Amino acid sequence: MSTTALDLSLPCTAEPAEPHLHTANATDTPQGRRFDIDCELAYDLGGDCEFLFQLHAMTTPRQHLISESFEVSPAVPTHIFEDPIEHHRFVRLRAGSGPLSVRYRAQVRRLPEPDAREATEVPLAQLPDHVLHNLFATRYCESDELSRFAQKLFGQVPMGYGRVLAISDWIHDNIDYQIGSTNATSTSRDVLLQRAGVCRDFAHLGITFCRALNIPARLAVGYATFDDPPPDFHAVFEAWLSCGWVAFDPTKMSPLDELVRTGVARDAKDVAFATIFGPAMMTRMNPCISALD
């Protein structure tokens, strides 16, 4: 079976301040833990299909790409492009009937999350321009409809990191993690009503509550380590505080320091690991990640 392989080994890069990127020398890269990513996806196609994959590790101030490769079997033309705002990467390809598999491998150095316990909320008038769009209600995060509920729960909680942590803890304590309880169209309001969901639903609800309190928030997705198999992609939410973006995981299923991000966005509609146009059935999903040191 023929295979398309792209060698995407790159020097480490860093991101000093959103949204700009610059290239740094490998010797400038701070020390941190290395992670090995080996992600395989396989499909059975019933006809011509267009795919948009988001599997590539991001480069951020705390996440440095060491090397990576992307393979497609059977061999088909691929096109890789970068989101101009958030800088996560996508792969576009088209394939005909039959089996299709893709494999993404990478080594990434990941720095610990910063200590943000003293971080404060940022007044609206002082928010940077590039975070303002993370204040608005979106398809999965109806912060306008849930504003009164959020104010009732958290309006009197002291502002700052502690209030966002209280949001995350409330979701963990009041929403059941239940596979199959939601689907691709479930919103934060649905999750709140049924009190059950999966990681993306937990994150969407955290985003919704934050935005309802005028705290910019967004979704972060990627590869994560879990105590129990099978491996899967993971979603958390990030809130914009005085020290920048701070991550929270209401599921408490995986250490935040071990999340290798593939994308950030206002909600899940913009960061699906695979978007498919055509008759395709997934036959295998194995997004593995392991710590090397």
Side-chain angles (χ1 to χ4, degrees), residues 85-202:
I85 297 176
E86 304 294 0
H87 305 292
H88 43 244
R89 290 173 291 158
F90 298 89
V91 179
R92 295 180 61 179
L93 63 87
R94 182 175 183 175
S97 299
L100 175 78
S101 65
V102 299
R103 187 175 187 183
Y104 174 72
R105 287 178 285 187
Q107 280 195 21
V108 176
R109 188 173 296 279
R110 180 74 167 79
L111 300 182
E113 295 291 319
D115 185 351
R117 287 174 292 181
E118 301 301 319
T120 59
E121 294 177 28
V122 180
L124 286 173
Q126 298 176 22
L127 288 172
D129 296 340
H130 67 270
V131 307
L132 288 176
H133 66 286
N134 293 289
L135 279 172
F136 308 138
T138 54
R139 173 182 175 184
Y140 293 112
C141 303
E142 311 102 320
S143 52
D144 49 352
E145 297 184 19
L146 296 180
S147 177
R148 290 182 61 186
F149 187 82
Q151 289 288 344
K152 183 177 180 179
L153 283 179
F154 309 108
Q156 302 306 312
V157 178
M159 298 171 64
Y161 173 88
R163 180 151 73 157
V164 184
L165 182 62
I167 290 171
S168 182
D169 288 344
W170 187 93
I171 296 169
H172 177 269
D173 295 341
N174 291 275
I175 307 297
D176 293 331
Y177 188 91
Q178 186 175 333
I179 296 174
S181 59
T182 55
N183 56 44
T185 64
S186 299
T187 69
S188 292
R189 187 176 181 179
D190 298 327
V191 173
L192 186 60
L193 288 173
Q194 66 188 24
R195 298 297 176 101
V198 293
C199 62
R200 99 169 189 161
D201 304 307
F202 280 49

